[in-house]
Amino acid sequence: LALGPDTTSINRAVGSFVSAYNLLIKDINLQTGYNAGTKTAGILQSDSAITGLQSALLASTNYGSGNGVFQTLTSVGVTTNSDGTLSLNSTTLANAVLTNSAAVATFFQGPALNGFADTLTKSLNTYTDPTQGAFSVDLKSIGAQNQDLTNETSTLELYLASQQKILTAQYNAADIAIQQLPQKLKQIQALLNPNQNTSGN
């Protein structure tokens, strides 16, 4: 009977992180990149919050603990590709865990919960914090602008409705006046030519 770290579960956990990271960075790249084929820029290319998040994610892959056996992602089998995505070498990670699982844990957790995971979490919180995060602030601003536009639209609709009533009343009055014109003309003719038979007989 031999006791040792569960390399399979650790590989699965790190693999899940790599997959989630890649999904996020690919989506950001798509939204902020430039498509040379269609000659169109991503819809969020000029958005400072999303480009800031992109920079923070890419910078996180250069994390170095500065101490311990394993100090970089590469040392535990995680490497960065040219497009910013990550690749996991399961063999390298498994060997690192078998050689010194405590050192691997220290790299990810840190001696005082200040390792790679905590550093990345803090970096992401500057964007996702529900009150002060860049995305939250932007969403509140967008929400306020949307409310202002909604209020302006409602005010304009009320104004247009009132103008429609006024114009409709004026049109109806003009229509009635036009219909009365022939009779008014006959009355004028009768006054000007009292001896003329307006009946046509």
Side-chain angles (χ1 to χ4, degrees), residues 104-179:
V104 174
T106 297
F107 171 79
F108 283 105
Q109 297 178 349
L113 298 180
N114 58 351
F116 169 76
D118 186 66
T119 300
L120 178 58
T121 298
K122 288 179 178 178
S123 179
L124 294 178
N125 281 344
T126 62
Y127 296 92
T128 61
D129 182 84
T131 57
Q132 300 298 323
F135 291 152
S136 299
V137 172
D138 278 358
L139 287 173
K140 289 178 182 178
S141 176
I142 292 172
Q145 292 176 8
N146 182 63
Q147 186 60 53
D148 289 342
L149 290 174
T150 299
N151 294 339
E152 291 177 6
T153 300
S154 298
T155 301
L156 180 59
E157 288 176 346
L158 290 174
Y159 171 76
L160 291 176
S162 66
Q163 290 299 305
Q164 182 181 27
K165 289 181 180 179
I166 293 172
L167 292 173
T168 299
Q170 292 175 344
Y171 173 83
N172 289 336
D175 185 55
I176 292 172
I178 290 172
Q179 293 181 29

Side-chain angles (χ1 to χ4, degrees), residues 27-95:
D27 191 40
I28 292 175
N29 290 345
L30 178 64
Q31 300 299 329
T32 60
Y34 178 79
N35 188 318
T38 60
K39 296 182 179 180
T40 56
I43 192 170
L44 296 177
Q45 188 180 65
S46 60
D47 186 274
S48 59
I50 197 69
T51 53
L53 173 60
Q54 182 184 44
S55 297
L57 288 170
L58 296 175
S60 71
T61 62
N62 295 320
Y63 170 82
S65 63
N67 55 65
V69 177
F70 305 109
Q71 299 183 16
T72 64
L73 283 173
T74 302
S75 65
V76 292
V78 180
T79 55
T80 306
N81 303 314
S82 60
D83 62 352
T85 59
L86 302 178
S87 293
L88 172 62
N89 187 315
S90 299
T91 301
T92 301
L93 176 60
N95 289 336

